[in-house]
Amino acid sequence: MPAAGLRSNLVTEWDLVCAARWKVPLEQTTHLLGWALGSIAAGMACDRFGRRPTFLVSLGLAVPLGLSVALAIDFVMVLVARLLFGAALAGAFLSLYVARLELCDPPHRLEVTMIAGFSWLAGELLLPGLAVLCRDWRVLQGAVTAVLALLAACWWCPALLLESPRWLLATQQLERARKTLRALAGSGGCGAEERSSTMAELEALAEQCPQPHYHNVCEIFGTRVIWKNAVILGFTAFIGSGIRHCFTRNLAPHLPRFLPAYFALRGPEAAACLFLCVTAERCGRRAVLLLCTVLTGTASLLLLALTQYLLELIVLMLSVLGVTASHAVTMLSIFFASEVLPTVVSSFSPRRGAGLGLVVGANLVGSAAAPIAAVASSRGFFLHHLVFASFAILAVLSIMLLPESQGRRLPHSLQEGENQRRPPLFRRPPREDHLPLLAPRGIPHDYSRIVPSAQRALGSGRGPASPPTQT
């Protein structure tokens, strides 16, 4: 489309209009399906082979797959190449997300994740400018692939991305974990609290002389609290992305041109990131997720029932509110899941990546609702809106069952994950002490000064002691 900055695209290349226009949303759905499948596969891969190898392999595969999209000779080849290209990008995204989270201490997890979200948003804002410079969709795809190749070459440097010490500890690769912790201590790339906690667990395991040990993803189904948390957060992520089409459809008449519509829809996404930065660390993850879900469901129900009776300005405001709140629900659901899912689900079997892959996959399945609805044009839109609005109300009740992860370290074992309980909604949960009351196991205890200190305290409180009376 010339309005999009491209003189040649998929529509003009293969004449995807009139009877063949359904192929356009099919291509978009295929790409999102690749992202969903890639997220699930990459989650299991980064648990089995490590966060860093999965990221590098995914980024390396994205380069030839991106070139295959640019060099496609027919529409079927485009569909297959876009499916695989999306899967490779999803693998790089998910493995980097998990590695980044596990290298941060609790006070900085949300901050670092939101910075990454703003970086993603900046890339989306730069993409139309790159399209204007390229003018052809094949050249644009080649330029994006060249950027990925440059990133892949840079990330191969071991100093830029170290393996997660938590994954090394979960797979009982203790020597590699020690080396990684020393490297992080030298560079300052990991919080002191996170390093000390991981080092204490590492020294406790070192006495057992364990060997690397792995299990399969099906073990997550044998848990109770962990599985419940994963299902609820996957459900909310699915709703947040799926219901967004109900709001953007009301914005379409006000934004007929492509570029104004593209940039206008990035605004609510930026507002959602900023809102989470301000509120999620102060009010807690569960309360903010509940608030955003309530706003999403309320806006959806009002538009569903009263669109014909409301002023156009009110419809526009409710649509913008719904888009912003749905973005916040999606982002916070994924981040919340990464905090409550444990590193291991059974004895030393890493599972955070697989569980987070399922949640991200559910989010992308919900995103596919928009192109699927475009295939049917306006038919079925009311039913689509009604179903997702009902799901949003059900999600509000489900969120009440979630624990709170604000200010707490990532759960490592099955017992830590299963012991998570939901606190009262309007009472702030206590933070974990940065200085433990008792020293970690493996550190010798010195009680030699306790008795003299207690005697001095008792003597100063009671005054001079009276001599004992003789009977």
Side-chain angles (χ1 to χ4, degrees):
M1 263 190 291
L6 294 175
R7 294 178 179 175
S8 173
N9 55 26
L10 294 177
V11 176
T12 59
E13 179 109 8
W14 286 288
D15 197 22
L16 304 181
V17 295
C18 299
R21 64 182 179 181
W22 59 272
K23 293 182 179 180
V24 177
L26 176 63
E27 183 272 334
Q28 298 170 351
T29 305
T30 303
H31 185 61
L32 290 173
L33 179 62
W35 268 83
L37 296 176
S39 298
I40 298 173
M44 293 185 288
C46 70
D47 281 339
R48 178 61 178 83
F49 304 106
R51 284 50 165 144
R52 186 174 186 273
T54 304
F55 173 74
L56 295 177
V57 170
S58 300
L59 200 57
L61 289 176
V63 175
L65 291 173
L67 289 177
S68 66
V69 175
L71 302 176
I73 59 176
D74 57 22
F75 185 72
V76 176
M77 185 176 177
V78 169
L79 288 181
V80 176
R82 289 276 289 171
L83 175 73
L84 298 176
F85 184 59
L89 292 179
F93 168 81
L94 185 76
S95 53
L96 184 61
Y97 194 103
V98 177
R100 182 179 62 234
L101 182 90
E102 292 180 341
L103 290 174
C104 293
D105 51 352
H108 299 97
R109 283 200 300 258
L110 179 67
E111 178 184 348
V112 172
T113 303
M114 290 299 106
I115 290 175
F118 281 116
S119 301
W120 180 280
L121 182 61
E124 291 181 333
L125 294 176
L126 292 175
L127 189 58
L130 186 60
V132 171
L133 294 176
C134 295
R135 312 295 284 178
D136 185 270
W137 74 274
R138 294 182 185 273
V139 179
L140 177 61
Q141 181 66 40
V144 172
T145 305
V147 174
L148 291 176
L150 180 62
L151 290 175
C154 295
W155 281 109
W156 272 101
C157 177
L160 291 180
L161 181 63
L162 296 171
E163 185 55 82
S164 167
R166 284 196 165 270
W167 178 82
L168 294 173
L169 183 63
T171 54
Q172 302 183 1
Q173 303 180 52
L174 306 185
E175 190 58 36
R176 288 186 60 192
R178 287 193 186 92
K179 293 179 180 178
T180 303
L181 288 173
R182 293 191 192 103
L184 289 172
S187 61
C190 182
E193 181 185 352
E194 192 74 13
R195 285 199 305 269
S196 60
S197 172
T198 307
M199 184 63 76
E201 296 173 11
L202 188 152
E203 295 301 333
L205 285 174
E207 302 174 358
Q208 306 172 11
C209 300
Q211 297 297 322
H213 193 49
Y214 306 92
H215 290 264
N216 57 65
V217 70
C218 297
E219 292 171 355
I220 194 174
F221 299 104
T223 61
R224 182 180 177 182
V225 176
I226 298 170
W227 175 238
K228 177 202 68 178
N229 295 339
V231 169
I232 292 174
L233 292 169
F235 184 56
T236 56
F238 170 74
I239 293 169
S241 57
I243 204 173
R244 198 171 303 136
H245 171 67
C246 305
F247 302 118
T248 55
R249 191 172 183 268
N250 293 324
L251 299 177
H254 303 277
L255 300 167
R257 296 175 62 86
F258 175 79
L259 284 180
Y262 182 86
F263 286 113
L265 291 178
R266 303 287 85 76
E269 188 175 354
C273 281
L274 187 60
F275 176 77
L276 293 180
C277 288
V278 174
T279 59
E281 193 62 38
R282 297 187 179 187
C283 304
R285 286 37 162 165
R286 190 178 64 146
V288 175
L289 180 60
L290 181 63
L291 173 63
C292 294
T293 308
V294 168
L295 292 177
T296 303
T298 303
S300 178
L301 289 174
L302 290 175
L303 291 174
L304 183 66
L306 303 174
T307 299
Q308 298 178 351
Y309 307 100
L310 295 175
L311 295 176
E312 188 175 356
L313 178 61
I314 297 179
V315 172
L316 182 62
M317 293 175 60
L318 286 175
S319 300
V320 173
L321 174 64
V323 172
T324 305
S326 64
H327 273 297
V329 167
T330 299
M331 290 186 288
L332 189 55
S333 296
I334 295 174
F335 177 72
F336 202 174
S338 66
E339 286 192 321
V340 299
L341 292 174
T343 310
V344 299
V345 165
S346 68
S347 180
F348 304 108
S349 62
R351 287 295 82 157
R352 177 172 291 117
L356 187 60
L358 294 174
V359 175
V360 175
N363 162 49
L364 293 163
V365 170
S367 299
I372 290 174
V375 174
S377 187
S378 297
R379 292 172 296 179
F381 173 74
F382 178 81
L383 181 60
H384 170 89
H385 198 163
L386 178 63
V387 169
F388 274 96
S390 304
F391 282 170
I393 302 303
L394 181 59
V396 171
L397 302 177
S398 302
I399 292 172
M400 302 293 292
L401 302 176
L402 293 173
E404 180 55 67
S405 61
Q406 175 196 3
R408 300 180 180 274
R409 70 185 185 92
L410 298 176
H412 182 70
S413 64
L414 173 65
Q415 183 178 4
E416 292 180 9
E418 287 290 288
N419 286 339
Q420 297 177 110
R421 294 293 181 265
R422 61 183 186 276
L425 182 61
F426 299 106
R427 185 183 302 171
R428 190 168 183 176
R431 288 177 173 266
E432 290 186 346
D433 294 332
H434 292 283
L435 294 176
L437 199 58
L438 296 177
R441 184 171 56 179
I443 300 178
H445 302 278
D446 184 9
Y447 300 108
S448 59
R449 299 183 180 181
I450 292 181
V451 175
S453 300
Q455 290 176 346
R456 285 195 299 271
L458 291 174
S460 60
R462 297 190 310 179
S466 58
T469 58
Q470 295 183 0
T471 57

